Amino acid sequence: MTRSRMRRAMLAATALALGAPAAAQTSDPTATVQAMRARLPQDEVIYFALPDRFDNADPSNDRGGLTGDRLRTGYDPTSKGFYHGGDLKGLMRRLPYIQALGATAIWVGPVFKNKPVQGAPGQESAGYHGYWITDFNHVDPHLGTDAEFKALVDAAHARGIKVYMDIIVNHTADVIQYRECGACAYRSRADYPYQRRGGVNGPAINAGFAGDDVRTAANFAKLTDPSYAYTPFLAKGDEHAKSPDWLNDIRLYHNRGNTTFENESSTMGDFVGLDDLMTENPRVLAGMIDIFGGWIDRFGVDGYRIDTARHVNPEFWQAFVPAMLARAKAKGIPNFHIFGEVSHGSVDPGALAEHTRVDKLPAVLDFAFRQAVIETVAGTRGTDAFEVLFKGDPLYEGGAAAAQQLPTFVSNHDNGRFAYYVRQAFPKAGDDEVMHRVMLGNAMLLSLRGVPTVYSGDEQGFTGDGNDQDAREDMFASKVASYNDNRLLGTTTTTATAHFGQDNPLFKQTAALARVRVATPALTRGRQVLRAREEKPGLLAISRFDPTTNAEILLAFNTSGAPIERLIEVEPDAATARVLAGSGCAARVAAPGSLRVTLPAFGYAVCALGGTK
């Protein structure tokens, strides 16, 4: 392809991402895909959806081909903890909606076949979320088929939209049982060493095993007896419950009981009973490389979000990531995006950055960004929280430039919706104030550094009741009472009706900001300069610069409930300002290097500065 043709293709792909007419989408599909592949991870606006909760286009797969009650099929659309019927066909038919929102990439919740139901009697729930995998090579029948997933990926690519898969290597579904107990407490390597059965005073086993730090096939071949901490076993009928079949070998799991999420148990304990893979074993590493390399080969996906990444030993990622990048490159995907989930509750990003330096993960979900927005816009902390956040960017492997690839978010399916936290922090606030705070959070998400990730439903004013199941509302008409009694933002409707319209103020705002972002290189790839922050709610101002022309974009946010007027430092050669989103920048500088900004309560402005010529 010539350079001029490539440029035309990239412009066309950008136009598609901004909602170009459908007729243009098939004019040169090869060029569209090539231009899409050429985009860097930070060029995207990501939309995250759990397929089961998005849209139900095929009711015939609601029960996953199973028969019986909900404890056998997993299907109960009235319960927040069971399958509701959403599927891949539903996600595919809503691609125009997702594109209209301005998204250029879709992060699809796990699609792998799951154990339909698990949990103690009376505490059962279903694998609708996709994190209880039994078959790592195929799509869960509740969601559709492998062919339908391929059709989804191809249809997204035809629109210039990337597809990121949510993957898991830390654990499988809860299939392995322990003879000693049900919810077993973690037993450490010191108290229950590999070479003794049931504790230091038990009989000798696994002679010659040199420990899990010696990661060779020859060493792990000596780990023949898995009963060092507990006595694990497979119930009759579960001997081949998992696929590929190597996953049914009990010796390939830690079998030490439930993690406390701290210290040694963080990487070796069962995640709330889920079978924890011994990722130190080279057999597990090779098997996972084969599995997930295969998804790249078969479907041409564009990236992986890695669940529970911090609960896997770093050496696994140090080998797995290069293998996936090489597999993607061989498939013609040069900018394959890999980002790990490292749950983190502080504005200080040090614990996140560690996983890019030690584990060599290319990126991690930016929980520190979310925390900064929670503490300032859904809280009362000063805007200096963002100084703490962004001063940590050089800590990431690759420095501040690498921080541009961190997916940022304010809401997600595990941690809850931003609107919920606003209402929790300000219970006396009216819906108008809540709406403005949510819009301010959106403006930060879609203009500051990182890769903005929008959680499905946020654009429709979903508010949730908390985290996890309480934040996983249906986009199609819901039958869950605890969802349908929520007071949404920007609409008088409830989740009892489908929400794929484009009239909600939050949809309109998100779409407008997304279009500004993808059309403005300073907002996708530009470096940041902190201009102003305060130790109380008030002004945050940041300049971002076009990486080619050095053109300046000024971002100004007011986290306080009162209007503010400030002079903000800008580059000395700036003369004019043009508002791209929000409002408040003066048309001309007050003096060289100083621009007046006037912001309403919870207001924001995105302004392009012009020179003297």
Side-chain angles (χ1 to χ4, degrees):
M1 179 180 285
T2 65
R3 182 176 298 177
S4 61
R5 186 183 177 197
M6 174 61 83
R7 178 172 176 78
R8 288 196 301 272
M10 291 187 71
L11 291 173
T14 300
L16 290 177
L18 300 181
Q25 295 168 5
T26 57
S27 59
D28 190 349
T30 300
T32 297
V33 172
Q34 287 179 327
M36 177 195 69
R37 299 288 198 212
R39 298 198 309 255
L40 299 179
Q42 56 264 44
D43 295 336
E44 313 303 339
V45 174
I46 303 172
Y47 186 77
F48 170 62
L50 284 173
D52 177 68
R53 301 300 167 90
F54 195 68
D55 192 23
N56 187 0
D58 185 1
S60 70
N61 62 27
D62 288 356
R63 292 171 175 79
L66 303 172
T67 58
D69 63 13
R70 73 175 195 163
L71 296 184
R72 294 187 62 84
T73 69
Y75 177 69
D76 181 356
T78 68
S79 172
K80 64 184 180 181
F82 283 75
Y83 285 97
H84 290 178
D87 46 45
L88 297 175
K89 283 185 176 179
L91 190 55
M92 185 166 69
R93 78 173 177 181
R94 297 298 181 180
L95 286 175
Y97 168 86
I98 295 170
Q99 191 166 51
L101 187 63
T104 64
I106 306 171
W107 159 12
V108 181
V111 300
F112 314 99
K113 185 176 180 180
N114 268 230
K115 187 176 183 179
V117 177
Q118 64 181 45
Q123 300 177 353
E124 300 94 345
S125 62
Y128 70 92
H129 42 66
Y131 295 107
W132 299 344
I133 304 173
T134 55
D135 186 343
F136 281 76
N137 282 328
H138 297 291
V139 168
D140 192 301
H142 289 87
L143 306 181
T145 65
D146 293 4
E148 288 166 359
F149 183 65
K150 183 65 165 64
L152 169 65
V153 174
D154 291 346
H157 286 174
R159 293 176 172 271
I161 298 174
K162 295 180 179 180
V163 177
Y164 299 153
M165 291 184 72
D166 198 323
I167 70 169
I168 303 96
V169 305
N170 176 65
H171 56 261
T172 71
D174 183 9
V175 177
I176 298 172
Q177 300 179 43
Y178 301 135
R179 297 200 182 278
E180 292 81 358
C181 47
C184 298
Y186 184 78
R187 289 181 168 178
S188 72
R189 289 178 294 183
D191 293 325
Y192 296 85
Y194 289 111
Q195 292 198 23
R196 292 290 184 272
R197 179 178 294 134
V200 293
N201 296 319
I205 57 175
N206 301 320
F209 181 63
D212 48 46
D213 285 337
V214 181
R215 299 177 188 90
T216 65
N219 181 48
F220 276 92
K222 299 172 184 176
L223 187 65
T224 58
D225 188 336
S227 60
Y228 35 83
Y230 291 104
T231 310
F233 71 100
L234 295 172
K236 186 176 181 180
D238 283 341
E239 295 88 351
H240 299 281
K242 300 176 188 177
S243 182
D245 197 56
W246 63 265
L247 288 163
N248 296 299
D249 186 343
I250 293 178
R251 296 169 298 177
L252 299 178
Y253 297 82
H254 286 118
N255 300 312
R256 289 187 173 276
N258 285 335
T259 180
T260 66
F261 302 101
E262 300 293 339
N263 306 315
E264 173 189 306
S265 81
S266 180
T267 57
M268 295 191 173
D270 296 341
F271 195 101
V272 196
L274 298 171
D275 301 346
D276 195 71
L277 279 157
M278 187 175 280
T279 46
E280 300 88 353
N281 191 319
R283 178 66 185 93
V284 175
L285 172 62
M288 287 298 175
I289 287 174
D290 184 58
I291 287 170
F292 293 113
W295 284 90
I296 296 172
D297 293 344
R298 289 187 290 155
F299 300 97
V301 294
D302 305 283
Y304 285 150
R305 178 267 191 183
I306 303 173
D307 180 68
T308 52
R310 74 182 181 97
H311 299 298
V312 175
N313 59 299
E315 296 82 4
F316 180 94
W317 300 127
Q318 292 164 12
F320 180 85
V321 167
M324 292 303 101
L325 295 177
R327 201 74 163 255
K329 187 176 181 180
K331 183 71 174 177
I333 310 171
N335 295 308
F336 195 82
H337 194 21
I338 297 176
F339 51 101
E341 179 208 23
V342 179
S343 185
H344 177 65
S346 171
V347 170
D348 185 341
L352 295 175
E354 173 188 352
H355 291 272
T356 68
R357 290 211 174 256
V358 178
D359 300 10
K360 302 301 181 183
L361 290 169
V364 292
L365 279 169
D366 197 347
F367 279 82
F369 177 94
R370 171 187 177 270
Q371 191 64 25
V373 182
I374 289 285
E375 292 184 12
T376 57
V377 184
T380 58
R381 182 171 176 175
T383 58
D384 57 339
F386 288 93
E387 181 176 26
V388 175
L389 172 70
F390 294 132
K391 282 182 73 172
D393 282 357
L395 298 176
Y396 293 96
E397 183 71 23
Q404 294 179 353
Q405 297 189 22
L406 305 178
T408 52
F409 66 100
V410 296
S411 304
N412 75 12
H413 61 310
D414 289 329
N415 299 91
R417 296 192 182 274
F418 185 68
Y420 168 81
Y421 290 100
V422 172
R423 282 182 170 164
Q424 288 292 107
F426 303 100
K428 295 182 179 180
D431 283 355
D432 185 62
E433 178 180 333
V434 175
M435 173 69 85
H436 281 92
R437 286 184 182 270
V438 170
M439 285 186 159
L440 178 57
N442 287 345
M444 291 175 167
L445 175 68
L446 285 152
S447 62
L448 291 168
R449 72 99 181 97
V451 189
T453 304
V454 178
Y455 178 33
S456 61
D458 269 16
E459 77 279 10
Q460 295 293 343
F462 287 12
T463 54
D465 288 319
N467 60 9
D468 197 71
Q469 294 181 7
D470 290 322
R472 296 173 180 175
E473 306 98 316
D474 305 300
M475 290 285 285
F476 60 104
S478 182
K479 298 180 181 179
V480 178
S482 65
Y483 294 163
N484 294 341
D485 66 4
N486 291 347
R487 191 170 80 255
L488 309 188
L489 294 175
T491 178
T492 58
T493 63
T494 71
T495 54
T497 61
H499 282 82
F500 295 104
Q502 301 180 23
D503 295 330
N504 191 294
L506 291 168
F507 184 100
K508 293 179 178 179
Q509 183 214 21
T510 301
L513 285 168
R515 282 157 173 71
V516 169
R517 184 180 183 91
V518 299
T520 310
L523 298 182
T524 55
R525 305 185 183 189
R527 64 184 175 92
Q528 290 191 160
V529 173
L530 180 65
R531 297 298 195 185
R533 76 286 192 208
E534 298 180 352
E535 296 178 359
K536 59 183 180 179
L539 178 66
L540 171 69
I542 287 175
S543 288
R544 303 198 64 185
F545 295 90
D546 188 298
T548 302
T549 68
N550 209 41
E552 183 176 3
I553 302 292
L554 179 66
L555 311 175
F557 310 96
N558 178 12
T559 65
S560 77
I564 59 175
E565 181 176 329
R566 297 282 195 281
L567 289 170
I568 298 176
E569 181 185 6
V570 294
E571 292 300 292
D573 61 352
T576 62
R578 176 171 56 91
V579 175
L580 302 179
S583 64
C585 290
R588 299 192 63 83
V589 297
S594 182
L595 180 73
R596 189 174 302 279
V597 173
T598 305
L599 299 173
F602 314 118
Y604 65 91
V606 179
C607 303
L609 303 185
T612 56
K613 295 181 180 179

